[in-house]
């Protein structure tokens, strides 16, 4: 069974540009999460999809970040326009359990974003 | 709100020696707890988890962790470290919510260096 995949693995862009990150969850997993680790800080939750619906987006830092999950399969996270403080590693995770029960999240390799 | 503290930012251990990584959590209800590992250039891999029951849990790669409610701790141990255990280790606590997602809260991570 394939794990969570993320694309690209690395991205270097200039401040003000747009970047789109993609996550493909494990097949059959309805829950999809985005997390971020900025330099030297903790990994922090960004948002959670159940299928194509946003269940919790309380961790999204501002309206420059837009996440979508059309059709309930893969998800994209767009940063527009990118700022220097957006640099970090963006992780995606998925799980198959229902909301409201204890679940195990499986993580992808992350996308390393550097904004210059 | 829940929080996780990993007091040790870096730990250096000799190959073959034992390893213990500390994790303290704050959570208002019964937590469910995880340890993840990130090897260089890799994503987050689940080592083990505690949901309920036996407070000593076994994981992959010879790791184990013990949940101590009275101390709010979930320390990770390995009796004999291998060079391939050099990595960054993250403790995380999960929240169960019927309305929101099951987002994880991570500690800051502990980077383990293994000396030959």
């Amino acid at each position: 069974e394939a794990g969570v995949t993320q694309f690209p693995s690395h991205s270097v862009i200039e401040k003000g540009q747009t970047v789109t990150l993609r996550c493909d969850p494990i097949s059959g997993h309805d829950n999809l999460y985005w997390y971020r680790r900025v330099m030297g800080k903790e990994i922090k939750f960004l948002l959670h999809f159940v299928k194509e619906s946003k269940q919790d987006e309380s961790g999204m830092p501002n309206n420059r970040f837009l996440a979508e999950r059309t059709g309930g399969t893969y998800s994209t996270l767009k940063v527009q326009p990118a700022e220097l403080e957006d640099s970090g590693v963006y992780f995606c995770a998925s799980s198959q359990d229902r909301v409201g029960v204890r679940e195990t999240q499986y993580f992808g390799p992350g996308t390393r974003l550097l904004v210059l | 709100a829940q929080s996780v503290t990993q007091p040790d930012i870096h730990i250096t251990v000799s190959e073959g020696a034992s390893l213990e990584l500390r994790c303290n959590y704050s959570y208002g209800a019964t937590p469910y707890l995880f340890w993840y590992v990130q090897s260089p250039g890799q994503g987050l891999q689940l080592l083990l988890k505690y949901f309920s029951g036996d407070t000593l849990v076994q994981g992959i790669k010879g790791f184990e962790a013990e949940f101590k409610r009275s101390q709010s701790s979930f320390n990770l141990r390995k009796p004999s470290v291998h060079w391939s255990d050099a990595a960054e280790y993250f403790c995380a606590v999960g929240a169960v919510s019927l309305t929101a997602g099951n987002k994880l809260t991570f500690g800051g991570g502990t980077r383990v260096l293994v000396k030959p």
Side-chain angles (χ1 to χ4, degrees):
Chain A
E1 178 183 281
V4 178
T5 57
Q6 294 186 244
F7 183 83
S9 59
H10 295 79
S11 181
V12 181
I13 62 173
E14 292 190 351
K15 175 182 173 181
Q17 289 186 321
T18 298
V19 62
T20 300
L21 313 181
R22 173 171 169 145
C23 168
D24 286 77
I26 294 171
S27 178
H29 283 195
D30 287 339
N31 294 303
L32 188 149
Y33 296 81
W34 284 98
Y35 293 84
R36 176 176 77 166
R37 188 185 194 195
V38 294
M39 192 70 69
K41 299 290 183 69
E42 297 90 353
I43 300 170
K44 286 196 178 291
F45 166 82
L46 294 178
L47 88 158
H48 169 212
F49 284 99
V50 177
K51 297 184 179 178
E52 66 275 9
S53 299
K54 292 177 185 174
Q55 185 78 17
D56 181 359
E57 51 185 330
S58 62
M60 293 288 265
N62 52 60
N63 59 10
R64 294 187 294 103
F65 289 75
L66 175 64
E68 296 180 324
R69 192 182 182 195
T70 306
T73 54
Y74 70 91
S75 173
T76 58
L77 180 65
K78 180 189 289 188
V79 185
Q80 180 182 29
E83 298 289 345
L84 300 179
E85 63 264 25
D86 300 331
S87 296
V89 182
Y90 290 75
F91 291 103
C92 176
S94 73
S95 79
Q96 66 180 8
D97 299 285
R98 293 179 292 112
V99 171
V101 300
R102 297 172 178 181
E103 61 174 302
T104 298
Q105 295 178 26
Y106 297 92
F107 283 76
T111 293
R112 285 152 183 78
L113 174 64
L114 179 60
V115 182
L116 301 176
Chain B
Q2 64 234 44
S3 66
V4 179
T5 301
Q6 295 180 245
D8 304 303
I9 298 174
H10 293 95
I11 284 182
T12 299
V13 60
S14 297
E15 191 169 14
S18 63
L19 174 68
E20 181 167 15
L21 304 183
R22 295 182 291 164
C23 172
N24 293 97
Y25 68 89
S26 173
Y27 184 59
T30 301
Y32 64 112
L33 298 153
F34 303 84
W35 275 99
Y36 287 88
V37 60
Q38 185 178 22
S39 299
Q42 305 296 313
L44 290 168
Q45 182 181 20
L46 179 67
L47 280 177
L48 49 77
K49 63 187 178 186
Y50 171 76
F51 282 5
S52 64
D54 193 346
T55 56
L56 184 63
V57 293
Q58 303 296 320
I60 62 171
K61 303 186 179 187
F63 285 92
E64 65 177 27
E66 187 171 12
F67 170 61
K68 292 186 177 180
R69 184 186 301 276
S70 61
Q71 299 178 19
S72 297
S73 69
F74 188 56
N75 294 348
L76 181 71
R77 298 193 293 257
K78 184 168 183 177
S80 177
V81 168
H82 186 261
W83 65 266
S84 60
D85 294 322
E88 192 162 18
Y89 293 78
F90 296 92
C91 181
V93 62
V96 176
S97 170
L98 292 173
T99 55
N102 296 342
K103 57 190 174 187
L104 297 177
T105 298
F106 285 86
T110 298
R111 191 173 295 276
V112 174
L113 178 65
V114 180
K115 295 190 301 183

